[in-house]
Each structure stands twice: as structure tokens, then as C-alpha cells.
Amino acid sequence: MQFALIGGTGVENFSLTEQRVLTVETPFGEVEPMVGKLSGREIVFLSRHGRDHATPPHLVNYRANIWALHALGVRKVLATAAVGSLSPNYHLGELVLLEQFLDFTKSRPQTFYEGGDRGVLHVDMTEPYCASVRKVILDVSQKIGIVVKDGACYVCTEGPRFETPAEIRMFQKLGADLVGMTSVPEVVLARELGMCYASIGMVTNEAAGIAAHLLSHAEVTESLKNLSLKVTRLLQATFEVLDPSQSCWCPSANQEVGKF
Ligand code: HPA
């Protein structure tokens, strides 16, 4: 099982054949991913917030999720993330690959390397989202005629509340393009275990203070109805051509300290 999808809000299901639910024990708790096949390839699917959106962003068990995928042999992770846009370059209804992040989370364990037997790792984050997987997604998107933009800087907020307009103005000044609540620490933990990770932002709303109305989860889920079909087609086509070998830096990210 070399490939996985972590589905964010709006991608709570992913159609696979021969589907079954596994129970994976991790040092951080139990995870129940779905496993199945897509064009003969085994894919692991994990709904980040649970199938009924029961887990808010700050309470997602990121370490258990990523540990479980790694334990199943996953080497390449595709993820989706609902995002608000702070930038005139990215619009409602668009798909955008994340390239950099700013971390404004507050309460989340961020590492597997907690000292002692586990060691200390200062993992490199020069290119947090795997460049080679991002290129595959872009190539596939062109082939199947789905517009995907690239190069966004994502700011991760703690949530679960939306941001204030003052925070959004600050994030704009800092260079952020998109705002969401889940990509950190997920992307960091995947890198710590040497997995490739790429995330497709689904722009569901204009960020607070840019939109001429108040923000609501209903607006986000309404926008996602259209976006979900598009992103699912893109994900399916990407999984069909994704190469299991890792010709990037991702697998050597933890070599200074070693692998679990
Ligand atoms: N802010 C934070 N997270 C989000 C947003 C937003 O505007 N839209 C979708 N997820």
C-alpha cells in the first residue's frame, strides 16, 4: 500500500473497489483507514475529520494518522484542504497546490521526535510539499483538462473559529495566499517519516473581511459540493500514474536521526 489520500472537508469519501476498513494501532491511538483499489492499485483513504465531520481541526490526531499510513507502507500522500483565499490570484471554486506554509497553530503536537529514545530531529522544511508529486498533479491536471494553480503560500490557523479581518490583513502582509486549519502539522509529520506529501487547496470562500458577508461553515460546504467532483477526478487520475519510487529529498528527511 504505497499511496494514500487524506480527505479534508468535502472529501469524506473516496470510491474504491474491494473496500475494507482496517484498524491500525499506533503509539498515539487507533486509526481506522479505508483500504481499496483504484485501477488495480491499492490506495489507503483517511477522512481527516472522520466520516461525519466530527473532529475539529485542532483535535485531529495528526500523529496517529500519519503514523498509521507509514505503518501500512505508504510512501506518497495526497491530501485535500478546504481553504479561504486572501489573494487576488486565487478565486472561489479553484484548485490550488500548496507550496509553502506559515504556521499559526497553537496547541498541536508537531513532531514524532520528542527526545530520549526517539531522538531530536530538526526536519528540513525548505520545500514542505513534495515538488515531484506536485509536478505529477500539474501534468495530470493539464492532460485531463482541470485547471490547477500552483505556488500558494498557506497560512495554518488554530481554529476552529474563523479569522478576524485584522488577522487576515496581517497574513496578507506576511505573504500568505490561502488560509486553512489543517495542513500543519500534517505536512511536517509526513516529512518526518520520509513520506512524500502534497496538498490540493480547494478555495471555498474569500477570507474574513474580504468577503462582503460573514463567514459560515455552510458557505464552505456549499462551495465544496462542486469542487469535490473536480478534485475527485483529479485525484483518481493522479493515483493512476503516481510512481511509487521517491526520486526526491523526502525519504532522506530524517536520515540525521534515523527512522522509526
Ligand atoms: N479560514 C480558515 N479555514 C478555512 C477557511 C477560512 O476562511 N475556509 C475554509 N477553511
Side-chain angles (χ1 to χ4, degrees):
M1 292 175 212
Q2 287 150 326
F3 306 117
L5 169 64
I6 300 179
T9 308
V11 187
E12 280 85 12
N13 297 293
F14 193 62
S15 177
L16 299 168
T17 58
E18 299 173 44
Q19 285 194 1
R20 60 198 192 278
V21 176
L22 298 183
T23 302
V24 185
E25 307 287 343
T26 82
F28 310 98
E30 208 173 83
V31 182
E32 296 198 326
M34 177 82 78
V35 174
K37 287 198 171 166
L38 182 74
S39 306
R41 298 180 139 197
E42 282 210 298
I43 310 285
V44 185
F45 173 69
L46 209 50
S47 171
R48 186 185 291 122
H49 301 280
R51 256 158 265 150
D52 44 4
H53 202 87
T55 314
H58 64 298
L59 296 180
V60 170
N61 195 342
Y62 296 97
R63 288 197 295 188
N65 288 351
I66 295 295
W67 187 283
L69 296 185
H70 186 257
L72 290 172
V74 169
R75 293 294 168 262
K76 295 196 171 178
V77 183
L78 304 182
T80 68
V83 291
S85 176
L86 289 61
S87 158
N89 298 328
Y90 303 117
H91 308 108
L92 194 64
E94 289 183 338
L95 299 179
V96 186
L97 291 182
L98 311 189
E99 185 183 336
Q100 287 287 321
F101 69 73
L102 296 171
D103 179 12
F104 278 80
T105 63
K106 295 175 182 157
S107 69
R108 311 173 184 189
Q110 296 260 352
T111 182
F112 292 114
Y113 292 86
E114 298 201 299
D117 290 348
R118 293 196 168 168
V120 174
L121 174 68
H122 301 288
V123 76
D124 178 79
M125 279 287 120
T126 305
E127 209 161 47
Y129 300 91
C130 175
S132 80
V133 173
R134 278 171 33 223
K135 179 158 186 340
V136 174
I137 298 172
L138 284 174
D139 290 347
V140 167
S141 71
Q142 276 164 15
K143 274 199 197 102
I144 64 173
I146 289 180
V147 177
V148 178
K149 291 185 172 172
D150 194 15
C153 179
Y154 170 103
V155 57
C156 194
T157 59
E158 180 67 4
R161 67 169 176 84
F162 287 114
E163 302 69 39
T164 64
E167 287 170 327
I168 293 298
R169 287 195 295 274
M170 172 182 74
F171 296 145
Q172 284 173 323
K173 290 203 169 97
L174 295 178
D177 301 302
L178 303 174
V179 58
M181 304 178 191
T182 54
S183 197
V184 184
E186 201 169 83
V187 58
V188 179
L189 295 168
R191 179 63 57 81
E192 280 195 350
L193 295 189
M195 294 190 283
C196 299
Y197 178 99
S199 183
I200 306 170
M202 304 159 74
V203 183
T204 56
N205 58 286
E206 292 177 309
I210 298 174
H213 52 266
L214 302 182
L215 301 192
S216 67
H217 187 61
E219 180 190 356
V220 170
T221 48
E222 190 54 38
S223 309
L224 281 168
K225 282 186 192 152
N226 299 325
L227 272 164
S228 300
L229 286 174
K230 201 158 65 159
V231 84
T232 300
R233 273 183 49 221
L234 176 65
L235 289 163
Q236 286 168 338
T238 304
F239 278 126
E240 280 171 16
V241 300
L242 214 49
D243 178 355
S245 70
Q246 296 175 282
S247 55
C248 48
W249 296 110
C250 306
S252 55
N254 56 14
Q255 70 185 5
E256 281 180 326
V257 180
K259 301 187 182 181
F260 290 106

